[in-house]
Amino acid sequence: MAAAEAEYESVLCVKPEVSVFRIPPRASNRGYRASDWKLDQPDWTGRLRVTSKGKVAYVKLEDKVSGELFAQAPIDQYPGIAVETVNDSSRYFVIRIQDGNGRSAFIGIGFGDRGDAFDFNVALQDHFKWVKQETEISQESQESDSRPKLDLGFKEGQTIKLNIGNMPTKKSGPAKPRPAGSGGLSLLPPPPGGKMAAPAPPPAPPLSSTAISNHVTPPPVPKSSSAGSTDILLDFNLSPSAASKGPPPALLPATADLWGDFSTAPSAVPSQPAQPSKWVQF
């Protein structure tokens, strides 16, 4: 697999036309100048193709029609000695070509358009930026492998305890009963300003015949007594001042028995004779 990856070649940039020049030897360390070349008489013209195989880039000069390789320059570093820019122009470069026998030579190349020169420069920069990142990643992986690894596994007999919040436990009390009004029908509140109706009084227990026959007759109240007249008037919800003016039209006549004749009720004891009524007539 490693050999297959090393043989894989990718194309980084292709330019349809490039000019090749024979350059004089560099006389000093000031750098190359394109003005020293015969720019109007290029020595060769063809197609330029930049490829990469692994971490090495190749600048290949090929024939436009047949695609035959004219020369190639392997580049292992950029910027470097394999590719250099000239001092007086951005469209011309100096590359170091090599043959299969290990011989090398420096030639000048130039592009008619500045955009083509820019693409050539960027293609080489991007490739070696990727090479730098790959180198750093491989170094970090080697350093991480050399470091002692942490053993995060459980030892024999080791346990952990998880505490999850808001979970019911056995110590918690029973569930609280739901209020009566939480479900089903609910009572509506009274209307504003209204009053609740008073509950009806319980019905009076029926009087048995024995209780009627054995009742105790209250003592007679004399008519001259002021306390008795006050009590009688209170029974009719009347004040003494109102009683002095005369009875209201709705009152019963004085001859009527207010308590009723209880002596006529059937008696549960047949042997007891009927007793005369001792109720005072008002």
Side-chain angles (χ1 to χ4, degrees):
M1 179 63 70
E5 291 179 356
E7 293 177 357
Y8 179 76
E9 184 178 13
S10 61
V11 178
L12 304 179
C13 178
V14 176
K15 293 302 173 182
E17 186 173 355
V18 64
S19 300
V20 177
F21 304 93
R22 291 181 181 180
I23 60 175
R26 184 165 51 180
S28 62
N29 294 330
R30 67 179 183 177
Y32 294 99
R33 295 176 60 89
S35 58
D36 298 337
W37 308 342
K38 297 178 181 180
L39 300 179
D40 55 346
Q41 297 177 359
D43 296 302
W44 183 85
T45 58
R47 180 178 63 189
L48 180 140
R49 192 159 59 99
V50 182
T51 62
S52 65
K53 183 182 292 186
K55 296 182 179 181
V56 181
Y58 297 88
V59 177
K60 296 183 178 182
L61 303 176
E62 300 172 346
D63 186 82
K64 294 180 180 180
V65 179
S66 62
E68 183 182 358
L69 181 63
F70 173 74
Q72 72 173 4
I75 304 170
D76 55 1
Q77 185 180 359
Y78 183 78
I81 192 174
V83 178
E84 299 181 53
T85 58
V86 298
N87 296 334
D88 56 349
S89 179
S90 62
R91 296 187 292 116
Y92 296 91
F93 302 85
V94 175
I95 63 174
R96 183 184 64 181
I97 60 176
Q98 293 180 353
D99 58 4
N101 298 326
R103 294 178 300 178
S104 61
F106 292 92
I107 62 174
I109 61 173
F111 301 93
D113 187 19
R114 294 184 184 276
D116 294 340
F118 177 79
D119 295 340
F120 171 74
N121 188 17
V122 170
L124 293 176
Q125 288 180 354
D126 291 344
H127 171 72
F128 286 100
K129 186 183 296 183
W130 170 82
V131 171
K132 182 179 179 181
Q133 293 176 354
E134 288 292 324
T135 304
E136 293 176 354
I137 292 174
S138 61
Q139 291 178 356
E140 291 178 357
S141 62
Q142 290 177 1
E143 292 177 358
S144 62
D145 294 340
S146 61
R147 296 173 185 172
K149 297 182 179 180
L150 297 176
D151 186 8
L152 302 178
F154 286 98
K155 305 301 186 293
E156 184 177 359
Q158 185 178 4
T159 59
I160 61 174
K161 182 179 180 181
L162 298 178
N163 186 9
I164 303 177
N166 299 329
M167 294 292 291
T169 58
K170 294 181 179 180
K171 296 182 179 180
S172 61
K176 296 182 180 180
R178 296 178 61 186
S182 60
L185 299 177
S186 59
L187 298 177
L188 296 177
K195 296 182 179 180
M196 295 294 292
L207 297 176
S208 60
S209 58
T210 306
I212 295 173
S213 60
N214 296 331
H215 71 277
V216 179
T217 304
V221 180
K223 296 182 180 180
S224 59
S225 175
S226 61
S229 62
T230 304
D231 295 339
I232 296 173
L233 294 177
L234 290 177
D235 293 340
F236 294 100
N237 196 13
L238 294 177
S239 61
S241 60
S244 61
K245 296 179 181 180
L251 295 179
L252 296 175
T255 58
D257 189 4
L258 298 178
W259 297 94
D261 192 3
F262 292 96
S263 60
T264 59
S267 177
V269 182
S271 61
Q272 184 177 359
Q275 298 179 1
S277 176
K278 295 182 181 182
W279 295 100
V280 179
Q281 303 295 331
F282 296 97

